[in-house]
Each structure stands twice: as C-alpha cells, then as structure tokens.
Amino acid sequence: MSTIGKTLHVKGEIRSADDLTLEGHVEGHVFCETGCVVLGPTSDVKADVLARDITVHGKLTGQLVATDVVDVRADGSVLGQVIS
C-alpha cells in the first residue's frame, strides 16, 4: 500500500498496481486499475480516478471510474461523474 500524506501536493499522473491512500492534495489523473484507492478525510483531489474499488471520505472533483465498487461515505463529497 502506498500513501500520499496530508501535507503533500501532487500535480500530474499517479500510476500504481498496489492499493493507494490519498490524504493530501492531488491534481491530475490517478490510475490504480488492479487495486483500491481510498480518499482519506483530509484529501482534496481534483482528478480523474480509475481503480478497481474507490472509497471517498474526503473531497473529490472529477470523474470516478471503478471496475467494481464506488463507496462515498457520509464525510465524503464528489463533484463530477461516477461510473461503476
């Protein structure tokens, strides 16, 4: 599992074959086709996210594409398109 910490700001493309947790600020594209992506409660993501499973606790602006499950929790928000 890889983690983008809450004090990190990433702009660009992230690709991972492992599960990925995003706690910080991400802008761009996130690809994790064989794993899970978790947007933690401190995350602020402006990106298109493609993964097997996606769980949102934080804030996401963009498109979510999951080959299995998208789970938006009570403390999460999504502004954009969700495809599962």
Side-chain angles (χ1 to χ4, degrees), residues 8-70:
L8 290 177
H9 295 259
V10 177
K11 188 173 187 177
E13 184 176 292
I14 298 171
R15 290 189 176 270
S16 177
D18 297 327
D19 293 347
L20 182 61
T21 300
L22 306 175
E23 293 286 351
H25 301 274
V26 176
E27 186 176 337
H29 300 280
V30 178
F31 299 98
C32 187
E33 295 177 40
T34 59
C36 303
V37 173
V38 176
L39 280 64
T42 59
S43 65
D44 183 11
V45 177
K46 294 175 178 74
D48 295 332
V49 179
L50 171 64
R52 186 186 74 227
D53 297 319
I54 304 169
T55 303
V56 181
H57 291 279
K59 187 167 104 176
L60 179 119
T61 303
Q63 183 178 38
L64 292 179
V65 179
T67 56
D68 199 2
V69 175
V70 172

